[in-house]
Amino acid sequence: KKKIAIMTSGGDSPGMNGVVRACVRMAIHLGCDAYCIYEGYEGLVRGGDLIRKMEWQDVRGWLSEGGTLIGTARCMAFYERSGRLAAARNLVAQGIDAVIICGGDGSLTGADRFRAEWPSLLKELEENGEFTAAQLEPYRHLNIVGLVGSIDNDLSGTDATIGCYSALARICQCIDLIEATAYSHSRAFVVEVMGRHCGWLALMAGVATGADFIFIPERPRPDNWREEMCSVVEHHRKLGKRKTIVILAEGAIDRQGNRISPEMVKDLLADPKGLGLDTRITTLGHVQRGGTAVAYDRMLATLQGVEAVKAVLEATPDTPTWVITINENKIVRKPLMEAVQATKKVAQAIKRQDWDEAMALRDTEFSE
Ligand code: F6P
């Protein structure tokens, strides 16, 4: 019987439990044994009871649970060859040579390297006398398939990462709450949202809440952004708005690459010589990441989980490590490293200050 293991890695995201549920059940449906690797790469390295066989009923109710119930961790040991050797030992000992990983681009890149290194890891296990060549024979090829779980929506090549729409919905709910109090006091709020180096959450939250002004890393404002923001806010106030919402991506920078902090924006809005607005800062933080998945993320997790199981069973030594994406509403398999390379190009474009290229690589339409 083929044994397929599923793990979650990197920062958790809403929908990860839906992924695990779909993979476990699809694997069982296709006559395979399903395993979960608990605590991300930590579980792969430590093995033992962190790699557990799962039954159909073990994942009952998981669609509506937030976070990841099988845990996740940032694991330093996996960066070392000895850690990856232990991981290979644990997989072979359990008879597993097919792994589905749901995580961000860093976690998925690690998985691709592990797969490439697999033959040399097996060789070392054989040379150490831990397994015989005959014992290793059925596990000569490791098949890995990636699923992108992240609230940041920062992987190029997919329209949406699993979790981003849940985080966006949470941000919008929070801004609705803030708006009520902002209106009451006629105040301004600087709302800082997550996203690491990606501005998707800030940009879409701005559109969805009708924010007065936004800052994102991929398209820093021109050098006169201070005057620009103040004149936009002043104009909105003159139109009769009693509340001002400025959304700031946590990775927001100016055209010189310097971070724009919430305090800088607040001081500007509050400057008595300028707008003089009574201003507060709200950093939304991890409420954006926790909590249950919206319907879209549950659907994405389920459809992509099913596809990941099919892909890992169809993979051969000649196929690339696949990542499952969604493009124009279709679930697609793509070479993982192509998507990772395209993502790296965004960072390079930002460094070169080629903002149009950065936005194009993010597949995001944007006009000033
Ligand atoms: O990648 C997801 C994310 O939530 C980012 O938006 C954020 O920058 C980061 O993780 C926070 O990481 P941590 O939970 O380790 O503080």
Side-chain angles (χ1 to χ4, degrees):
K1 239 184 186 183
K2 185 89 177 165
K3 296 178 175 182
I4 302 177
I6 299 108
M7 65 182 255
T8 53
S9 174
D12 62 282
S13 69
M16 280 185 163
N17 292 317
V19 164
V20 176
R21 171 184 174 273
C23 292
V24 164
R25 291 193 166 175
M26 185 63 178
I28 295 171
H29 174 71
L30 294 179
C32 305
D33 281 341
Y35 287 77
C36 276
I37 301 169
Y38 281 69
E39 313 302 343
Y41 283 115
E42 187 79 33
L44 202 53
V45 171
R46 286 189 18 222
D49 73 343
L50 292 179
I51 304 180
R52 293 181 212 155
K53 186 158 182 283
M54 306 290 283
E55 305 301 338
W56 187 272
Q57 63 276 11
D58 289 338
V59 289
R60 184 165 293 141
W62 284 29
L63 264 180
S64 53
E65 297 277 354
T68 166
L69 290 164
I70 62 171
T72 181
R74 302 197 198 283
C75 171
M76 295 321 285
F78 198 75
Y79 289 106
E80 310 283 325
R81 167 103 183 164
S82 58
R84 295 193 293 277
L85 188 69
R89 181 184 300 124
N90 291 328
L91 288 179
V92 172
Q94 299 255 21
I96 297 167
D97 62 355
V99 182
I100 297 168
I101 301 179
C102 181
D105 62 342
S107 308
L108 298 181
T109 305
D112 186 65
R113 276 193 55 200
F114 183 51
R115 183 182 182 221
E117 222 185 11
W118 183 256
S120 84
L121 292 168
L122 289 203
K123 196 157 169 259
E124 198 170 330
L125 292 175
E126 191 184 331
E127 281 166 5
N128 293 348
E130 298 185 53
F131 297 93
T132 64
Q135 282 172 322
L136 292 173
E137 198 44 44
Y139 309 110
R140 286 288 166 203
H141 305 291
L142 175 69
N143 288 325
I144 293 189
V145 169
L147 289 163
V148 204
S150 169
I151 62 164
D152 301 335
N153 202 10
D154 56 351
L155 194 89
S156 296
T158 189
D159 294 346
T161 57
I162 299 164
C164 72
Y165 277 101
S166 304
L168 180 59
R170 188 75 27 77
I171 292 169
C172 290
Q173 279 169 352
C174 291
I175 292 178
D176 289 350
L177 302 179
I178 289 168
E179 280 189 339
T181 177
Y183 181 92
S184 309
H185 291 261
S186 198
R187 275 177 173 161
F189 275 78
V190 182
V191 182
E192 190 188 36
V193 303
M194 280 187 168
R196 216 178 279 267
H197 305 296
C198 182
W200 185 86
L201 283 173
L203 180 60
M204 295 308 159
V207 173
T209 61
D212 294 81
F213 211 79
I214 60 160
F215 292 92
I216 59 170
E218 293 88 342
R219 190 181 284 267
R221 296 283 175 180
D223 286 339
N224 66 343
W225 63 265
R226 291 175 178 80
E227 296 81 49
E228 195 195 0
M229 182 185 76
C230 290
S231 83
V232 167
V233 170
E234 192 180 11
H235 175 63
H236 290 173
R237 287 276 168 169
K238 279 193 180 138
L239 289 173
K241 268 186 107 170
R242 282 176 59 86
K243 55 184 166 57
T244 300
I245 304 286
V246 175
I247 302 180
L248 182 70
E250 63 179 350
I253 50 174
D254 64 19
R255 293 213 166 181
Q256 281 67 50
N258 303 311
R259 177 171 181 249
I260 297 180
S261 69
E263 289 74 19
M264 284 163 71
V265 179
K266 179 197 161 196
D267 289 348
L268 210 60
L269 293 167
D271 185 358
K273 291 199 211 86
L275 294 166
L277 293 171
D278 188 7
T279 308
R280 297 288 186 272
I281 295 172
T282 302
T283 298
L284 292 180
H286 288 77
V287 295
Q288 295 162 92
R289 215 165 81 189
T292 55
V294 296
Y296 183 85
D297 282 327
R298 298 179 196 203
M299 178 274 285
L300 198 57
T302 304
L303 298 184
Q304 293 195 334
V306 165
E307 181 64 13
V309 174
K310 287 189 198 161
V312 88
L313 289 173
E314 287 169 22
T316 70
D318 301 325
T319 50
T321 304
W322 279 314
V323 63
I324 311 299
T325 62
I326 182 158
N327 301 94
E328 297 184 352
N329 245 355
K330 305 223 168 20
I331 306 294
V332 177
R333 285 178 206 177
K334 283 190 176 172
L336 166 66
M337 290 320 285
E338 271 180 26
V340 170
Q341 294 310 338
T343 306
K344 286 207 176 112
K345 280 193 191 152
V346 180
Q348 289 159 2
I350 291 175
K351 243 189 179 157
R352 280 200 316 277
Q353 309 193 342
D354 188 345
W355 318 119
D356 289 340
E357 174 77 354
M359 291 307 285
L361 286 163
R362 286 271 197 238
D363 307 319
T364 308
E365 297 286 332
F366 189 89
S367 59
E368 299 271 355

